[in-house]
Amino acid sequence: MRKLFFELMQVGMGQLDCLSRGPSPEEWKELYELSQREAVAGICYRGAVSLFDYGLRAPQDLIIDWMAEAEEIREHSEHTFSLLAAFQRQVAKESMRTSVLSGDGLLSSYGEELFYLRESTAIDVYFKGYRNVAESNKQPELDVNLMDSVGVGKSFWRNSRMEKWLQKNGDMLFRQEGELMVPSPTMHAVLYMAYLYNRLLSHNLSMRDLMDYFFILRAGGGRFEAFYDAKQTVGDVFSLLSLSRFARGMMWVMQEVFGLKRECMPVEPLKEEGRFLLDDVLLDNHFLLHWGHLLAHYSWYDLIKS
């Protein structure tokens, strides 16, 4: 079932043309439920529809439900995006700089057709200015997490390194992209890795989060902008933030699940860590082995505080 699920996502994303085999009616139902749990139902619906050309059809009742859900996702995403763009325009009038760090800032990476099938949840927005100004301009229905700093776990020393690094490279946080202000693609590659790490610690890491990172890396095509320290690579920043092993595991997941090409990766994949992360996302792990791995390879302080 894992293989079929990965293939269905890839068909929806435009990475594959067809599945390796046709699912049974029971398997279609399981694929639909898995796509809902992992917050990728809209993308997977696109894949299911694309398979009509190959004679593969989900049961009619199921595909109707799937279509209705995909349309709800599209309407919600479009509405959220317009609210977010209006929020940024309004606070900009009051001399406040903001940058959309999480999924809704990825329109150019996904492309418009796929982007609006992405399920939108709480949005991380970095701001420079007064919090009360930002809060007063936010519409109640806009689910935004306003951040005046970017953290990596709970470690004071690691977050201090992140803060100093951002001070040197702060200009890369604010790039106008269509209607939104977002980080540069290279900055996104760094900050989203920190976001994924935080999601792991809070037990909220989902396939949608992983898919976001795939699109960030694929859009970059392996081309990374120079940092303030021109000799510093994205991999060097991961090392600075003690994210090297986690990042290498993520590269294996990008390759295994989504078919990301090696030239798009900033660091080498690590299969052992990647399999652990994938099992964590799919809730397919042994409790004691899972926590043994976390304690062996991750910050005890992060785990305790999370």
Side-chain angles (χ1 to χ4, degrees):
M1 183 52 64
R2 269 193 183 194
K3 183 180 180 184
L4 278 178
F5 181 51
F6 298 163
E7 288 177 349
L8 181 60
M9 285 191 293
Q10 288 192 42
V11 172
M13 297 157 64
Q15 288 285 97
L16 270 183
D17 292 328
C18 190
L19 305 180
S20 57
R21 65 176 180 85
S24 67
E26 294 75 19
E27 286 175 324
W28 273 117
K29 184 175 185 295
E30 193 173 342
L31 287 169
Y32 174 51
E33 291 172 350
L34 191 52
S35 74
Q36 288 179 308
R37 192 187 80 195
E38 295 300 328
V40 291
I43 302 293
C44 286
Y45 169 73
R46 183 177 184 270
V49 171
S50 298
L51 292 171
F52 290 176
D53 293 339
Y54 296 88
L56 300 179
R57 291 178 178 269
Q60 186 172 2
D61 290 348
L62 180 66
I63 203 69
I64 290 173
D65 290 342
W66 212 336
M67 177 179 66
E69 183 164 353
E71 190 56 35
E72 286 181 11
I73 291 169
R74 184 191 302 278
E75 290 176 2
H76 181 261
S77 295
E78 290 176 348
H79 182 58
T80 299
F81 186 85
S82 65
L83 289 177
L84 186 60
F87 168 72
Q88 282 201 311
R89 287 194 300 270
Q90 187 59 39
V91 295
K93 292 177 182 177
E94 303 194 38
S95 302
M96 175 176 282
R97 301 185 80 188
T98 59
S99 182
V100 183
L101 303 186
S102 59
D104 282 70
L106 298 176
L107 175 58
S108 66
S109 297
Y110 268 83
E112 196 159 324
E113 181 183 359
L114 281 175
F115 176 77
Y116 290 115
L117 288 173
R118 177 194 178 275
E119 292 191 38
S120 177
T121 53
I123 306 160
D124 287 347
V125 175
Y126 177 83
F127 71 93
K128 278 192 171 184
Y130 295 105
R131 179 177 291 272
N132 63 327
V133 174
E135 292 283 2
S136 65
N137 283 285
K138 180 175 72 70
Q139 294 197 30
E141 58 187 309
L142 180 61
D143 190 3
V144 165
N145 176 30
L146 294 169
M147 308 164 58
D148 57 5
S149 63
V150 180
V152 188
K154 305 295 182 180
S155 167
F156 170 79
W157 300 110
R158 178 161 44 188
N159 286 322
S160 293
R161 291 196 295 270
M162 170 64 98
E163 185 177 353
K164 290 176 182 177
W165 183 81
L166 281 176
Q167 286 174 355
K168 293 180 180 178
N169 297 279
D171 62 309
M172 298 173 72
L173 272 168
F174 304 99
R175 301 289 171 86
Q176 191 69 41
E177 196 171 90
E179 295 184 65
L180 297 182
M181 187 73 74
V182 300
S184 72
T186 301
M187 179 62 82
H188 238 149
V190 172
L191 297 185
Y192 224 83
M193 186 63 74
Y195 172 79
L196 294 175
Y197 180 75
N198 292 334
R199 296 281 287 179
L200 173 71
L201 293 178
S202 63
H203 311 291
N204 288 315
L205 190 59
S206 71
M207 197 60 71
R208 181 204 54 212
D209 301 320
L210 304 184
M211 188 181 289
D212 285 347
Y213 200 66
F214 163 82
F215 279 110
I216 288 171
L217 293 181
R218 191 181 74 167
R223 300 176 299 275
F224 298 104
E225 183 181 352
F227 296 118
Y228 176 82
D229 178 354
K231 294 181 180 180
Q232 192 176 52
T233 66
V234 173
D236 291 336
V237 180
F238 292 156
S239 180
L240 174 72
L241 302 175
S242 302
L243 289 175
S244 292
R245 183 182 178 89
F246 177 77
R248 292 185 63 199
M250 277 297 166
M251 293 310 107
W252 184 85
V253 173
M254 295 297 109
Q255 188 176 60
E256 179 73 8
V257 176
F258 304 118
L260 183 67
K261 295 179 180 178
R262 176 62 192 87
E263 57 264 29
C264 296
M265 300 180 187
V267 292
E268 289 289 331
L270 180 59
K271 182 177 181 179
E272 178 192 358
E273 192 61 26
R275 293 185 67 171
F276 164 77
L277 294 170
L278 189 54
D279 286 346
D280 182 270
V281 170
L282 295 175
L283 306 177
D284 186 16
N285 47 50
H286 185 281
F287 179 79
L288 292 178
L289 293 177
H290 175 77
W291 274 96
H293 184 99
L294 285 173
L295 292 171
H297 299 293
Y298 290 83
S299 162
W300 288 36
Y301 187 82
D302 281 344
L303 296 173
I304 292 169
K305 290 296 184 180
S306 297

